[in-house]
């Protein structure tokens, strides 16, 4: 007698092994609406005729979204659109729903997610935020530039490993310098130029490299001492005011620093993102961001609003994990371990949600051609903005832009040299970038059309 077995698989279990667009999966029992995933609007027999005539692109449909896990490498292949359908999801406000949420068939909901980075940019300049979304450019003037020496700053184990590596390099370089010195000595004793001058020429870069290695060792030694001498005093979870904090104190108090390369996604809000680091201890999750500026506060002594908004948004994302809380966040200045702890109060969280709603509405209005955001009132915000940096443009490029209808705002110098920038092309007005002011650029050509 032969026994027969029948196996059934969940669609999300097969996702790593098969293409994303799948035929309907057989089930032993009728599936609940929240468990059904539409694989193709054209291939599903249960799809309405209206939906079958307008199939959704594959990038707009996704299965269940899982919480990110720590991953030390690999490229993030998680689609940027999509969310699971849950019957008890709280309703989204109307402006946010119109601009950031769409329903395909009542069972699979598709959302255009806004990044926390762009939300922080919106608090700084709405135009920069829209450009960041449209161009996919996550760079920020206030983000720390890449370090050329690659010396670790925030990980004690990596600092000690780097010290050992630099010591090995210094020992080998010193041996090479000694060998070259012996060759030069022999050349002097025998009056042989071939033994003296070539080693002399090579000795100069070797000694320069020795000095560089000594400097790196000194820097690493200082960072190591700062880590070892830090106290374990940290802010209380219920702080109500911005409080100075030390990175090494948080680590010594038992917080583990983790990196989440894949973005968190909020189950209700159209928001995604992952902070630079997450400090974890028990149920506490502390988001940590970095700033490229030497100072974290403006002239009035107040913390920049973009930092508060970003930390509050990351707190909302981190608390979507079960049994976790984010009472405050930490922002660190460029290359420093002395930062500020910002309490993530209910008021600050509500402001972040309200700003997200406004951002979604302003983005929708701008891309629909209804209204464009005004430039920031503080012109100093435009002085170093990457989107307003003027770049040279030739007459042939201008002519091609006119023929193709590409929006272009030409800025002309007194000698006739033409420039343009992304912000000017997109919004039709010349931002007061410091280079534009220095070159005394003036707009001479209005955009030929508007982005839609």
């Amino acid at each position: 007698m032969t026994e027969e077995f029948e196996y059934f698989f969940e669609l999300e279990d097969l996702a790593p092994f098969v293409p994303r667009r799948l035929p309907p999966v057989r089930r032993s029992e009728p599936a609940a609406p929240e468990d059904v995933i539409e694989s193709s609007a054209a291939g599903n027999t249960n799809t309405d005729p209206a939906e079958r005539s307008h199939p959704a692109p594959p990038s707009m449909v996704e299965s269940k979204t899982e919480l990110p896990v720590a991953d030390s490498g690999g490229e993030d292949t998680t689609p940027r659109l999509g969310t699971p359908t849950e019957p008890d999801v709280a309703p989204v406000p109307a402006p946010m729903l119109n601009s950031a949420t769409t329903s395909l068939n009542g069972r699979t909901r598709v959302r255009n997610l806004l990044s926390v980075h762009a939300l922080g940019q919106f608090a700084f300049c709405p135009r920069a935020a829209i450009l960041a979304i449209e161009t996919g450019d996550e760079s920020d003037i206030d983000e720390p530039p890449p370090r050329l020496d690659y010396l670790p700053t925030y990980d004690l184990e990596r600092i000690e490993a780097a010290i050992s590596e630099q010591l090995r390099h210094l020992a080998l370089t010193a041996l090479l310098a000694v060998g070259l010195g012996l060759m030069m000595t022999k050349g002097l004793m025998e009056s042989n130029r071939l033994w003296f001058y070539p080693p002399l020429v090579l000795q100069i870069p070797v000694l320069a490299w020795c000095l560089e290695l000594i400097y790196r060792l000194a820097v690493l030694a200082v960072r190591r001492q700062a880590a070892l001498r830090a106290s374990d005093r940290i802010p209380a979870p219920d702080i109500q005011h911005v409080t100075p904090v030390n990175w090494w104190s948080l680590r010594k108090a038992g917080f583990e620093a983790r990196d989440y390369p894949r973005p968190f996604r909020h189950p209700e809000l159209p928001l995604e993102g992952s902070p630079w680091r997450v400090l974890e201890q028990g149920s506490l999750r502390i988001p940590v961001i970095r700033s490229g500026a030497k100072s974290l506060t403006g002239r009035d002594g107040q913390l920049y609003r973009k930092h508060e908004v970003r930390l509050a948004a990351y707190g909302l994302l981190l608390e979507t994990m079960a049994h976790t809380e984010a009472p405050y966040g930490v922002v660190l200045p460029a290359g420093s371990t002395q930062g500020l702890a910002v309490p993530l109060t209910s008021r600050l969280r509500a402001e972040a949600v309200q700003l997200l709603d406004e951002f979604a509405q302003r983005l929708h209005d701008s891309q629909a051609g209804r209204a464009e955001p005004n430039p920031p009132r503080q012109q100093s915000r435009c002085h170093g903005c990457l989107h307003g940096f003027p770049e040279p443009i030739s007459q042939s490029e201008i002519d091609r832009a006119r023929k193709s209808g590409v929006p272009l705002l030409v800025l002309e110098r007194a000698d006739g040299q033409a420039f343009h920038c992304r912000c000017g092309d997109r919004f039709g007005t010349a931002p007061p970038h410091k280079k534009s002011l220095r070159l005394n650029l003036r707009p001479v050509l209005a955009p030929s059309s508007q982005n839609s």
Side-chain angles (χ1 to χ4, degrees):
M1 180 176 179
T2 303
E3 295 182 0
E4 295 181 0
F5 298 89
E6 187 174 9
Y7 297 90
F8 298 96
F9 300 91
E10 293 294 334
L11 179 61
E12 55 269 24
D13 296 334
L14 297 176
F17 309 99
V18 296
R20 187 167 296 279
R21 296 176 64 88
L22 295 173
V25 179
R26 292 185 60 191
R27 297 178 181 269
S28 57
E29 296 179 3
E34 59 269 20
D35 294 333
V36 177
I37 304 298
E38 292 293 337
S39 61
S40 172
N44 194 331
T45 57
N46 296 328
T47 307
D48 295 336
E51 295 173 349
R52 191 179 304 114
S53 61
H54 300 284
S59 62
M60 295 289 287
V61 181
E62 185 191 11
S63 61
K64 293 183 179 180
T65 302
E66 298 181 355
L67 290 174
V69 296
D71 190 0
S72 58
E75 183 180 0
D76 181 12
T77 58
T78 304
R80 299 179 64 86
L81 294 175
T83 185
T85 302
E86 299 180 1
D88 57 347
V89 172
V92 184
M96 187 180 297
L97 181 65
N98 295 334
S99 61
T101 307
T102 307
S103 178
L104 286 179
N105 52 22
R107 287 176 291 182
T108 301
R109 190 174 62 184
V110 177
R111 303 182 303 170
N112 296 324
L113 302 180
L114 304 177
S115 67
V116 176
H117 168 85
L119 181 62
Q121 286 286 80
F122 184 76
F124 182 77
C125 173
R127 292 188 171 187
I130 293 176
L131 285 170
I133 289 292
E134 293 179 344
T135 62
D137 186 3
E138 293 289 324
S139 59
D140 188 349
I141 182 180
D142 201 37
E143 290 292 322
R147 301 181 62 88
L148 300 180
D149 54 7
Y150 300 103
L151 297 181
T153 305
Y154 303 98
D155 191 324
L156 181 58
E157 293 183 358
R158 292 185 57 196
I159 290 175
E160 293 178 341
I163 290 177
S164 300
E165 181 181 3
Q166 299 299 324
L167 285 174
R168 289 195 299 269
H169 291 171
L170 181 60
L172 294 175
T173 307
L175 288 176
L176 179 59
V178 170
L180 293 174
L182 292 176
M183 295 175 63
M184 293 172 57
T185 302
K186 181 178 180 180
L188 284 176
M189 295 178 62
E190 298 180 359
S191 299
N192 190 333
R193 295 182 178 180
L194 294 178
W195 281 89
F196 180 78
Y197 287 107
L200 177 62
V201 174
L202 294 175
Q203 190 75 283
I204 296 175
V206 170
L207 294 177
W209 180 242
C210 281
L211 294 177
E212 173 67 20
L213 291 174
I214 293 174
Y215 169 76
R216 293 186 179 186
L217 284 170
V219 171
L220 291 171
V222 171
R223 295 176 182 177
R224 181 176 181 273
Q225 287 298 319
L228 296 177
R229 294 180 179 179
S231 64
D232 57 355
R233 293 187 302 174
I234 61 174
D238 57 349
I239 59 172
Q240 298 298 321
H241 304 283
V242 176
T243 306
V245 67
N246 182 274
W247 167 264
W248 295 120
S249 297
L250 291 167
R251 296 299 307 276
K252 183 167 289 188
F255 280 95
E256 179 184 357
R258 299 188 63 182
D259 178 19
Y260 289 90
R262 297 183 180 182
F264 296 89
R265 292 178 176 178
H266 201 280
E268 300 175 11
L269 303 174
L271 182 67
E272 70 170 359
S274 180
W276 171 70
R277 292 291 186 274
V278 178
L279 294 174
E280 301 183 359
Q281 184 186 55
S283 63
L284 297 180
R285 300 292 185 270
I286 308 299
V288 183
I289 62 175
R290 292 186 300 170
S291 170
K294 295 182 179 179
S295 175
L296 301 175
T297 59
R299 296 180 180 179
D300 56 357
Q302 297 294 324
L303 182 68
Y304 289 119
R305 186 166 181 253
K306 60 184 297 184
H307 296 325
E308 294 181 330
V309 170
R310 289 176 61 189
L311 288 175
Y314 284 133
L316 291 172
L317 289 173
L318 292 175
E319 288 186 339
T320 59
M321 295 188 293
H323 309 294
T324 60
E325 56 178 335
Y328 60 86
V330 174
V331 54
L332 300 172
S336 175
T337 57
Q338 298 287 342
L340 297 175
V342 182
L344 305 183
T345 61
S346 57
R347 178 190 59 81
L348 184 58
R349 295 167 190 263
E351 290 180 0
V353 174
Q354 182 179 2
L355 193 67
L356 179 65
D357 189 6
E358 180 183 354
F359 181 23
Q361 184 65 64
R362 298 284 288 275
L363 176 63
H364 179 71
D365 291 342
S366 176
Q367 294 183 337
R370 297 194 186 105
E372 299 292 359
N374 295 323
R377 296 181 180 179
Q378 300 178 356
Q379 293 188 357
S380 59
R381 297 186 177 184
C382 298
H383 289 177
C385 181
L386 300 177
H387 301 295
F389 183 83
E391 299 178 354
I393 186 172
S394 63
Q395 186 60 44
S396 60
E397 293 174 324
I398 296 176
D399 295 338
R400 286 197 298 269
R402 289 176 177 176
K403 292 180 181 179
S404 59
V406 176
L408 181 66
L409 178 66
V410 178
L411 308 174
E412 191 174 272
R413 198 167 54 184
D415 59 359
Q417 175 65 47
F419 296 81
H420 79 114
C421 64
R422 286 184 290 181
C423 183
D425 296 342
R426 173 63 173 82
F427 299 103
T429 58
H433 193 276
K434 58 183 179 182
K435 183 177 180 180
S436 299
L437 298 177
R438 185 175 69 252
L439 298 177
N440 195 23
L441 301 181
R442 293 290 183 268
V444 297
L445 180 65
S448 57
S449 63
Q450 295 293 332
N451 279 359
S452 57

